[in-house]
PDB file of all heavy atoms in Angstrom:
ATOM      1  N   LYS A   1     154.065 113.431  77.418  1.00  0.00           N
ATOM      2  CA  LYS A   1     152.599 113.409  77.417  1.00  0.00           C
ATOM      3  C   LYS A   1     152.046 112.115  76.836  1.00  0.00           C
ATOM      4  O   LYS A   1     150.873 112.023  76.475  1.00  0.00           O
ATOM      5  CB  LYS A   1     152.057 114.620  76.658  1.00  0.00           C
ATOM      6  CG  LYS A   1     152.328 115.927  77.398  1.00  0.00           C
ATOM      7  CD  LYS A   1     151.598 117.106  76.783  1.00  0.00           C
ATOM      8  CE  LYS A   1     151.778 118.349  77.631  1.00  0.00           C
ATOM      9  NZ  LYS A   1     151.090 119.531  77.064  1.00  0.00           N
ATOM     10  N   LYS A   2     152.922 111.114  76.736  1.00  0.00           N
ATOM     11  CA  LYS A   2     152.553 109.760  76.313  1.00  0.00           C
ATOM     12  C   LYS A   2     152.084 109.684  74.861  1.00  0.00           C
ATOM     13  O   LYS A   2     151.233 108.852  74.509  1.00  0.00           O
ATOM     14  CB  LYS A   2     151.483 109.161  77.244  1.00  0.00           C
ATOM     15  CG  LYS A   2     151.910 109.091  78.698  1.00  0.00           C
ATOM     16  CD  LYS A   2     153.165 108.253  78.876  1.00  0.00           C
ATOM     17  CE  LYS A   2     153.595 108.191  80.339  1.00  0.00           C
ATOM     18  NZ  LYS A   2     154.901 107.483  80.510  1.00  0.00           N
ATOM     19  N   THR A   3     152.635 110.539  74.018  1.00  0.00           N
ATOM     20  CA  THR A   3     152.418 110.407  72.584  1.00  0.00           C
ATOM     21  C   THR A   3     153.433 109.413  72.039  1.00  0.00           C
ATOM     22  O   THR A   3     154.626 109.550  72.285  1.00  0.00           O
ATOM     23  CB  THR A   3     152.608 111.769  71.881  1.00  0.00           C
ATOM     24  OG1 THR A   3     151.676 112.708  72.410  1.00  0.00           O
ATOM     25  CG2 THR A   3     152.387 111.641  70.381  1.00  0.00           C
ATOM     26  N   TYR A   4     152.940 108.396  71.326  1.00  0.00           N
ATOM     27  CA  TYR A   4     153.817 107.407  70.692  1.00  0.00           C
ATOM     28  C   TYR A   4     153.990 107.843  69.242  1.00  0.00           C
ATOM     29  O   TYR A   4     153.030 107.879  68.473  1.00  0.00           O
ATOM     30  CB  TYR A   4     153.183 106.014  70.752  1.00  0.00           C
ATOM     31  CG  TYR A   4     153.217 105.386  72.121  1.00  0.00           C
ATOM     32  CD1 TYR A   4     152.421 105.868  73.156  1.00  0.00           C
ATOM     33  CD2 TYR A   4     154.052 104.294  72.392  1.00  0.00           C
ATOM     34  CE1 TYR A   4     152.442 105.287  74.421  1.00  0.00           C
ATOM     35  CE2 TYR A   4     154.073 103.706  73.644  1.00  0.00           C
ATOM     36  CZ  TYR A   4     153.260 104.212  74.657  1.00  0.00           C
ATOM     37  OH  TYR A   4     153.283 103.637  75.908  1.00  0.00           O
ATOM     38  N   ILE A   5     155.208 108.175  68.876  1.00  0.00           N
ATOM     39  CA  ILE A   5     155.446 108.731  67.550  1.00  0.00           C
ATOM     40  C   ILE A   5     156.856 108.370  67.108  1.00  0.00           C
ATOM     41  O   ILE A   5     157.718 108.042  67.930  1.00  0.00           O
ATOM     42  CB  ILE A   5     155.221 110.271  67.567  1.00  0.00           C
ATOM     43  CG1 ILE A   5     155.004 110.806  66.162  1.00  0.00           C
ATOM     44  CG2 ILE A   5     156.311 110.985  68.330  1.00  0.00           C
ATOM     45  CD1 ILE A   5     154.340 112.178  66.131  1.00  0.00           C
ATOM     46  N   ALA A   6     157.091 108.385  65.814  1.00  0.00           N
ATOM     47  CA  ALA A   6     158.386 107.988  65.264  1.00  0.00           C
ATOM     48  C   ALA A   6     158.619 108.744  63.960  1.00  0.00           C
ATOM     49  O   ALA A   6     157.705 109.407  63.451  1.00  0.00           O
ATOM     50  CB  ALA A   6     158.407 106.470  65.018  1.00  0.00           C
ATOM     51  N   PRO A   7     159.814 108.657  63.387  1.00  0.00           N
ATOM     52  CA  PRO A   7     160.042 109.271  62.075  1.00  0.00           C
ATOM     53  C   PRO A   7     159.156 108.655  60.994  1.00  0.00           C
ATOM     54  O   PRO A   7     158.919 109.278  59.962  1.00  0.00           O
ATOM     55  CB  PRO A   7     161.520 108.997  61.802  1.00  0.00           C
ATOM     56  CG  PRO A   7     162.115 108.681  63.128  1.00  0.00           C
ATOM     57  CD  PRO A   7     161.035 108.052  63.942  1.00  0.00           C
ATOM     58  N   PHE A   8     158.687 107.447  61.241  1.00  0.00           N
ATOM     59  CA  PHE A   8     157.798 106.767  60.295  1.00  0.00           C
ATOM     60  C   PHE A   8     156.385 106.697  60.888  1.00  0.00           C
ATOM     61  O   PHE A   8     156.176 106.843  62.086  1.00  0.00           O
ATOM     62  CB  PHE A   8     158.305 105.351  59.995  1.00  0.00           C
ATOM     63  CG  PHE A   8     158.313 104.438  61.194  1.00  0.00           C
ATOM     64  CD1 PHE A   8     157.208 103.656  61.508  1.00  0.00           C
ATOM     65  CD2 PHE A   8     159.427 104.365  62.031  1.00  0.00           C
ATOM     66  CE1 PHE A   8     157.207 102.822  62.619  1.00  0.00           C
ATOM     67  CE2 PHE A   8     159.438 103.536  63.150  1.00  0.00           C
ATOM     68  CZ  PHE A   8     158.323 102.768  63.438  1.00  0.00           C
ATOM     69  N   VAL A   9     155.415 106.480  60.008  1.00  0.00           N
ATOM     70  CA  VAL A   9     154.031 106.228  60.413  1.00  0.00           C
ATOM     71  C   VAL A   9     153.580 104.959  59.721  1.00  0.00           C
ATOM     72  O   VAL A   9     153.805 104.791  58.515  1.00  0.00           O
ATOM     73  CB  VAL A   9     153.086 107.378  59.997  1.00  0.00           C
ATOM     74  CG1 VAL A   9     151.711 107.182  60.609  1.00  0.00           C
ATOM     75  CG2 VAL A   9     153.657 108.727  60.393  1.00  0.00           C
ATOM     76  N   ASN A  10     152.973 104.039  60.474  1.00  0.00           N
ATOM     77  CA  ASN A  10     152.447 102.817  59.848  1.00  0.00           C
ATOM     78  C   ASN A  10     150.921 102.818  59.899  1.00  0.00           C
ATOM     79  O   ASN A  10     150.313 103.210  60.887  1.00  0.00           O
ATOM     80  CB  ASN A  10     153.003 101.551  60.507  1.00  0.00           C
ATOM     81  CG  ASN A  10     153.036 101.589  62.024  1.00  0.00           C
ATOM     82  OD1 ASN A  10     154.101 101.522  62.624  1.00  0.00           O
ATOM     83  ND2 ASN A  10     151.881 101.703  62.655  1.00  0.00           N
ATOM     84  N   ALA A  11     150.312 102.421  58.784  1.00  0.00           N
ATOM     85  CA  ALA A  11     148.847 102.437  58.704  1.00  0.00           C
ATOM     86  C   ALA A  11     148.382 101.467  57.635  1.00  0.00           C
ATOM     87  O   ALA A  11     149.181 100.943  56.841  1.00  0.00           O
ATOM     88  CB  ALA A  11     148.347 103.848  58.392  1.00  0.00           C
ATOM     89  N   GLU A  12     147.068 101.227  57.626  1.00  0.00           N
ATOM     90  CA  GLU A  12     146.473 100.391  56.587  1.00  0.00           C
ATOM     91  C   GLU A  12     146.374 101.180  55.276  1.00  0.00           C
ATOM     92  O   GLU A  12     146.575 102.399  55.255  1.00  0.00           O
ATOM     93  CB  GLU A  12     145.084  99.942  57.021  1.00  0.00           C
ATOM     94  CG  GLU A  12     144.094 101.096  57.180  1.00  0.00           C
ATOM     95  CD  GLU A  12     142.667 100.647  57.453  1.00  0.00           C
ATOM     96  OE1 GLU A  12     142.356  99.465  57.246  1.00  0.00           O
ATOM     97  OE2 GLU A  12     141.846 101.494  57.854  1.00  0.00           O
ATOM     98  N   GLY A  13     146.027 100.464  54.207  1.00  0.00           N
ATOM     99  CA  GLY A  13     145.879 101.114  52.913  1.00  0.00           C
ATOM    100  C   GLY A  13     144.546 101.825  52.732  1.00  0.00           C
ATOM    101  O   GLY A  13     144.505 102.992  52.357  1.00  0.00           O
ATOM    102  N   PRO A  14     143.408 101.146  52.997  1.00  0.00           N
ATOM    103  CA  PRO A  14     142.112 101.792  52.787  1.00  0.00           C
ATOM    104  C   PRO A  14     141.960 103.051  53.637  1.00  0.00           C
ATOM    105  O   PRO A  14     142.385 103.089  54.797  1.00  0.00           O
ATOM    106  CB  PRO A  14     141.111 100.714  53.230  1.00  0.00           C
ATOM    107  CG  PRO A  14     141.843  99.426  53.049  1.00  0.00           C
ATOM    108  CD  PRO A  14     143.271  99.735  53.389  1.00  0.00           C
ATOM    109  N   GLN A  15     141.365 104.073  53.056  1.00  0.00           N
ATOM    110  CA  GLN A  15     141.137 105.312  53.782  1.00  0.00           C
ATOM    111  C   GLN A  15     139.971 106.050  53.143  1.00  0.00           C
ATOM    112  O   GLN A  15     139.747 105.964  51.934  1.00  0.00           O
ATOM    113  CB  GLN A  15     142.389 106.190  53.777  1.00  0.00           C
ATOM    114  CG  GLN A  15     142.879 106.592  52.390  1.00  0.00           C
ATOM    115  CD  GLN A  15     144.207 107.334  52.433  1.00  0.00           C
ATOM    116  OE1 GLN A  15     145.054 107.078  53.274  1.00  0.00           O
ATOM    117  NE2 GLN A  15     144.379 108.269  51.517  1.00  0.00           N
ATOM    118  N   TYR A  16     139.244 106.775  53.984  1.00  0.00           N
ATOM    119  CA  TYR A  16     138.075 107.517  53.507  1.00  0.00           C
ATOM    120  C   TYR A  16     138.069 108.890  54.162  1.00  0.00           C
ATOM    121  O   TYR A  16     138.233 109.021  55.377  1.00  0.00           O
ATOM    122  CB  TYR A  16     136.781 106.775  53.870  1.00  0.00           C
ATOM    123  CG  TYR A  16     136.669 105.411  53.218  1.00  0.00           C
ATOM    124  CD1 TYR A  16     137.178 104.276  53.855  1.00  0.00           C
ATOM    125  CD2 TYR A  16     136.081 105.269  51.969  1.00  0.00           C
ATOM    126  CE1 TYR A  16     137.097 103.031  53.257  1.00  0.00           C
ATOM    127  CE2 TYR A  16     135.994 104.023  51.363  1.00  0.00           C
ATOM    128  CZ  TYR A  16     136.502 102.904  52.009  1.00  0.00           C
ATOM    129  OH  TYR A  16     136.428 101.679  51.417  1.00  0.00           O
ATOM    130  N   LEU A  17     137.884 109.911  53.345  1.00  0.00           N
ATOM    131  CA  LEU A  17     137.695 111.268  53.851  1.00  0.00           C
ATOM    132  C   LEU A  17     136.580 111.904  53.028  1.00  0.00           C
ATOM    133  O   LEU A  17     136.708 112.061  51.811  1.00  0.00           O
ATOM    134  CB  LEU A  17     138.985 112.082  53.739  1.00  0.00           C
ATOM    135  CG  LEU A  17     138.921 113.524  54.275  1.00  0.00           C
ATOM    136  CD1 LEU A  17     138.485 113.553  55.740  1.00  0.00           C
ATOM    137  CD2 LEU A  17     140.261 114.222  54.104  1.00  0.00           C
ATOM    138  N   VAL A  18     135.488 112.222  53.704  1.00  0.00           N
ATOM    139  CA  VAL A  18     134.327 112.851  53.076  1.00  0.00           C
ATOM    140  C   VAL A  18     134.203 114.255  53.670  1.00  0.00           C
ATOM    141  O   VAL A  18     134.156 114.400  54.892  1.00  0.00           O
ATOM    142  CB  VAL A  18     133.038 112.038  53.334  1.00  0.00           C
ATOM    143  CG1 VAL A  18     131.857 112.662  52.593  1.00  0.00           C
ATOM    144  CG2 VAL A  18     133.231 110.576  52.932  1.00  0.00           C
ATOM    145  N   ILE A  19     134.177 115.274  52.827  1.00  0.00           N
ATOM    146  CA  ILE A  19     134.190 116.655  53.311  1.00  0.00           C
ATOM    147  C   ILE A  19     133.027 117.447  52.710  1.00  0.00           C
ATOM    148  O   ILE A  19     132.782 117.388  51.494  1.00  0.00           O
ATOM    149  CB  ILE A  19     135.511 117.363  52.947  1.00  0.00           C
ATOM    150  CG1 ILE A  19     136.724 116.603  53.517  1.00  0.00           C
ATOM    151  CG2 ILE A  19     135.514 118.801  53.450  1.00  0.00           C
ATOM    152  CD1 ILE A  19     138.063 117.244  53.169  1.00  0.00           C
ATOM    153  N   GLU A  20     132.343 118.189  53.559  1.00  0.00           N
ATOM    154  CA  GLU A  20     131.325 119.125  53.089  1.00  0.00           C
ATOM    155  C   GLU A  20     132.013 120.238  52.303  1.00  0.00           C
ATOM    156  O   GLU A  20     132.937 120.884  52.790  1.00  0.00           O
ATOM    157  CB  GLU A  20     130.587 119.718  54.294  1.00  0.00           C
ATOM    158  CG  GLU A  20     129.551 120.755  53.923  1.00  0.00           C
ATOM    159  CD  GLU A  20     128.992 121.472  55.134  1.00  0.00           C
ATOM    160  OE1 GLU A  20     129.356 121.124  56.274  1.00  0.00           O
ATOM    161  OE2 GLU A  20     128.176 122.396  54.926  1.00  0.00           O
ATOM    162  N   ASP A  21     131.584 120.457  51.095  1.00  0.00           N
ATOM    163  CA  ASP A  21     132.258 121.404  50.204  1.00  0.00           C
ATOM    164  C   ASP A  21     131.815 122.829  50.502  1.00  0.00           C
ATOM    165  O   ASP A  21     131.012 123.424  49.780  1.00  0.00           O
ATOM    166  CB  ASP A  21     131.979 121.035  48.746  1.00  0.00           C
ATOM    167  CG  ASP A  21     132.999 121.654  47.800  1.00  0.00           C
ATOM    168  OD1 ASP A  21     133.828 122.466  48.271  1.00  0.00           O
ATOM    169  OD2 ASP A  21     132.979 121.322  46.600  1.00  0.00           O
ATOM    170  N   SER A  22     132.362 123.381  51.595  1.00  0.00           N
ATOM    171  CA  SER A  22     132.018 124.740  52.017  1.00  0.00           C
ATOM    172  C   SER A  22     133.308 125.477  52.352  1.00  0.00           C
ATOM    173  O   SER A  22     133.772 125.464  53.486  1.00  0.00           O
ATOM    174  CB  SER A  22     131.088 124.690  53.245  1.00  0.00           C
ATOM    175  OG  SER A  22     130.800 125.991  53.702  1.00  0.00           O
ATOM    176  N   PHE A  23     133.894 126.103  51.335  1.00  0.00           N
ATOM    177  CA  PHE A  23     135.192 126.766  51.469  1.00  0.00           C
ATOM    178  C   PHE A  23     135.095 128.168  50.862  1.00  0.00           C
ATOM    179  O   PHE A  23     135.287 128.347  49.656  1.00  0.00           O
ATOM    180  CB  PHE A  23     136.280 125.944  50.767  1.00  0.00           C
ATOM    181  CG  PHE A  23     136.590 124.635  51.446  1.00  0.00           C
ATOM    182  CD1 PHE A  23     135.758 123.541  51.284  1.00  0.00           C
ATOM    183  CD2 PHE A  23     137.713 124.518  52.253  1.00  0.00           C
ATOM    184  CE1 PHE A  23     136.038 122.335  51.924  1.00  0.00           C
ATOM    185  CE2 PHE A  23     138.000 123.326  52.889  1.00  0.00           C
ATOM    186  CZ  PHE A  23     137.160 122.227  52.724  1.00  0.00           C
ATOM    187  N   PRO A  24     134.778 129.178  51.681  1.00  0.00           N
ATOM    188  CA  PRO A  24     134.500 130.513  51.145  1.00  0.00           C
ATOM    189  C   PRO A  24     135.702 131.233  50.544  1.00  0.00           C
ATOM    190  O   PRO A  24     135.526 132.227  49.837  1.00  0.00           O
ATOM    191  CB  PRO A  24     133.973 131.276  52.373  1.00  0.00           C
ATOM    192  CG  PRO A  24     134.503 130.535  53.550  1.00  0.00           C
ATOM    193  CD  PRO A  24     134.557 129.107  53.140  1.00  0.00           C
ATOM    194  N   ASN A  25     136.907 130.738  50.781  1.00  0.00           N
ATOM    195  CA  ASN A  25     138.102 131.354  50.176  1.00  0.00           C
ATOM    196  C   ASN A  25     138.804 130.391  49.220  1.00  0.00           C
ATOM    197  O   ASN A  25     139.992 130.507  48.955  1.00  0.00           O
ATOM    198  CB  ASN A  25     139.078 131.815  51.273  1.00  0.00           C
ATOM    199  CG  ASN A  25     140.124 132.799  50.753  1.00  0.00           C
ATOM    200  OD1 ASN A  25     139.864 133.562  49.817  1.00  0.00           O
ATOM    201  ND2 ASN A  25     141.307 132.772  51.334  1.00  0.00           N
ATOM    202  N   GLY A  26     138.042 129.423  48.690  1.00  0.00           N
ATOM    203  CA  GLY A  26     138.627 128.427  47.791  1.00  0.00           C
ATOM    204  C   GLY A  26     139.265 127.292  48.580  1.00  0.00           C
ATOM    205  O   GLY A  26     139.337 127.319  49.814  1.00  0.00           O
ATOM    206  N   ARG A  27     139.746 126.271  47.855  1.00  0.00           N
ATOM    207  CA  ARG A  27     140.333 125.094  48.505  1.00  0.00           C
ATOM    208  C   ARG A  27     141.227 124.346  47.532  1.00  0.00           C
ATOM    209  O   ARG A  27     141.148 124.546  46.316  1.00  0.00           O
ATOM    210  CB  ARG A  27     139.220 124.164  48.996  1.00  0.00           C
ATOM    211  CG  ARG A  27     138.339 123.608  47.863  1.00  0.00           C
ATOM    212  CD  ARG A  27     137.437 122.499  48.347  1.00  0.00           C
ATOM    213  NE  ARG A  27     136.506 122.012  47.328  1.00  0.00           N
ATOM    214  CZ  ARG A  27     136.810 121.169  46.359  1.00  0.00           C
ATOM    215  NH1 ARG A  27     138.049 120.701  46.236  1.00  0.00           N
ATOM    216  NH2 ARG A  27     135.885 120.770  45.491  1.00  0.00           N
ATOM    217  N   PRO A  28     142.065 123.450  48.060  1.00  0.00           N
ATOM    218  CA  PRO A  28     142.813 122.550  47.176  1.00  0.00           C
ATOM    219  C   PRO A  28     141.863 121.610  46.432  1.00  0.00           C
ATOM    220  O   PRO A  28     140.723 121.397  46.861  1.00  0.00           O
ATOM    221  CB  PRO A  28     143.706 121.764  48.153  1.00  0.00           C
ATOM    222  CG  PRO A  28     143.775 122.614  49.382  1.00  0.00           C
ATOM    223  CD  PRO A  28     142.455 123.302  49.469  1.00  0.00           C
ATOM    224  N   ALA A  29     142.333 121.032  45.355  1.00  0.00           N
ATOM    225  CA  ALA A  29     141.520 120.105  44.545  1.00  0.00           C
ATOM    226  C   ALA A  29     141.507 118.727  45.196  1.00  0.00           C
ATOM    227  O   ALA A  29     142.044 117.743  44.668  1.00  0.00           O
ATOM    228  CB  ALA A  29     142.062 120.033  43.124  1.00  0.00           C
ATOM    229  N   PHE A  30     140.874 118.639  46.365  1.00  0.00           N
ATOM    230  CA  PHE A  30     140.914 117.410  47.162  1.00  0.00           C
ATOM    231  C   PHE A  30     140.407 116.188  46.396  1.00  0.00           C
ATOM    232  O   PHE A  30     140.895 115.072  46.591  1.00  0.00           O
ATOM    233  CB  PHE A  30     140.083 117.588  48.434  1.00  0.00           C
ATOM    234  CG  PHE A  30     140.741 118.433  49.486  1.00  0.00           C
ATOM    235  CD1 PHE A  30     140.054 119.456  50.100  1.00  0.00           C
ATOM    236  CD2 PHE A  30     142.045 118.194  49.883  1.00  0.00           C
ATOM    237  CE1 PHE A  30     140.654 120.241  51.071  1.00  0.00           C
ATOM    238  CE2 PHE A  30     142.656 118.957  50.852  1.00  0.00           C
ATOM    239  CZ  PHE A  30     141.959 119.987  51.455  1.00  0.00           C
ATOM    240  N   GLU A  31     139.401 116.396  45.557  1.00  0.00           N
ATOM    241  CA  GLU A  31     138.820 115.246  44.848  1.00  0.00           C
ATOM    242  C   GLU A  31     139.852 114.555  43.955  1.00  0.00           C
ATOM    243  O   GLU A  31     139.704 113.368  43.623  1.00  0.00           O
ATOM    244  CB  GLU A  31     137.601 115.679  44.010  1.00  0.00           C
ATOM    245  CG  GLU A  31     137.900 116.730  42.950  1.00  0.00           C
ATOM    246  CD  GLU A  31     137.892 118.159  43.470  1.00  0.00           C
ATOM    247  OE1 GLU A  31     137.776 118.365  44.690  1.00  0.00           O
ATOM    248  OE2 GLU A  31     138.011 119.078  42.638  1.00  0.00           O
ATOM    249  N   LYS A  32     140.921 115.255  43.583  1.00  0.00           N
ATOM    250  CA  LYS A  32     141.961 114.651  42.753  1.00  0.00           C
ATOM    251  C   LYS A  32     142.961 113.851  43.580  1.00  0.00           C
ATOM    252  O   LYS A  32     143.919 113.290  43.039  1.00  0.00           O
ATOM    253  CB  LYS A  32     142.682 115.737  41.948  1.00  0.00           C
ATOM    254  CG  LYS A  32     141.742 116.420  40.953  1.00  0.00           C
ATOM    255  CD  LYS A  32     142.442 117.392  40.055  1.00  0.00           C
ATOM    256  CE  LYS A  32     141.455 118.013  39.063  1.00  0.00           C
ATOM    257  NZ  LYS A  32     142.098 118.975  38.139  1.00  0.00           N
ATOM    258  N   ALA A  33     142.717 113.785  44.899  1.00  0.00           N
ATOM    259  CA  ALA A  33     143.535 112.944  45.775  1.00  0.00           C
ATOM    260  C   ALA A  33     142.671 111.930  46.509  1.00  0.00           C
ATOM    261  O   ALA A  33     143.033 111.443  47.588  1.00  0.00           O
ATOM    262  CB  ALA A  33     144.300 113.806  46.773  1.00  0.00           C
ATOM    263  N   GLY A  34     141.504 111.611  45.922  1.00  0.00           N
ATOM    264  CA  GLY A  34     140.658 110.554  46.472  1.00  0.00           C
ATOM    265  C   GLY A  34     139.709 110.980  47.571  1.00  0.00           C
ATOM    266  O   GLY A  34     139.093 110.133  48.221  1.00  0.00           O
ATOM    267  N   VAL A  35     139.565 112.289  47.797  1.00  0.00           N
ATOM    268  CA  VAL A  35     138.657 112.784  48.831  1.00  0.00           C
ATOM    269  C   VAL A  35     137.269 112.981  48.222  1.00  0.00           C
ATOM    270  O   VAL A  35     137.138 113.452  47.090  1.00  0.00           O
ATOM    271  CB  VAL A  35     139.178 114.112  49.429  1.00  0.00           C
ATOM    272  CG1 VAL A  35     138.208 114.644  50.486  1.00  0.00           C
ATOM    273  CG2 VAL A  35     140.566 113.919  50.026  1.00  0.00           C
ATOM    274  N   TYR A  36     136.234 112.608  48.985  1.00  0.00           N
ATOM    275  CA  TYR A  36     134.861 112.791  48.535  1.00  0.00           C
ATOM    276  C   TYR A  36     134.386 114.183  48.960  1.00  0.00           C
ATOM    277  O   TYR A  36     134.296 114.479  50.151  1.00  0.00           O
ATOM    278  CB  TYR A  36     133.940 111.736  49.156  1.00  0.00           C
ATOM    279  CG  TYR A  36     134.257 110.317  48.761  1.00  0.00           C
ATOM    280  CD1 TYR A  36     135.200 109.563  49.461  1.00  0.00           C
ATOM    281  CD2 TYR A  36     133.595 109.707  47.693  1.00  0.00           C
ATOM    282  CE1 TYR A  36     135.488 108.258  49.109  1.00  0.00           C
ATOM    283  CE2 TYR A  36     133.879 108.387  47.329  1.00  0.00           C
ATOM    284  CZ  TYR A  36     134.827 107.675  48.039  1.00  0.00           C
ATOM    285  OH  TYR A  36     135.110 106.380  47.691  1.00  0.00           O
TER     286      TYR A  36
END
């Protein structure tokens, strides 16, 4: 299906994930891993 994938993943360093805090059954402590 033309997916290019390998045992490794290469990417840049900077990353941003902003999430609306709406989790009716609780959630992981995302903010402690750099998530907004």
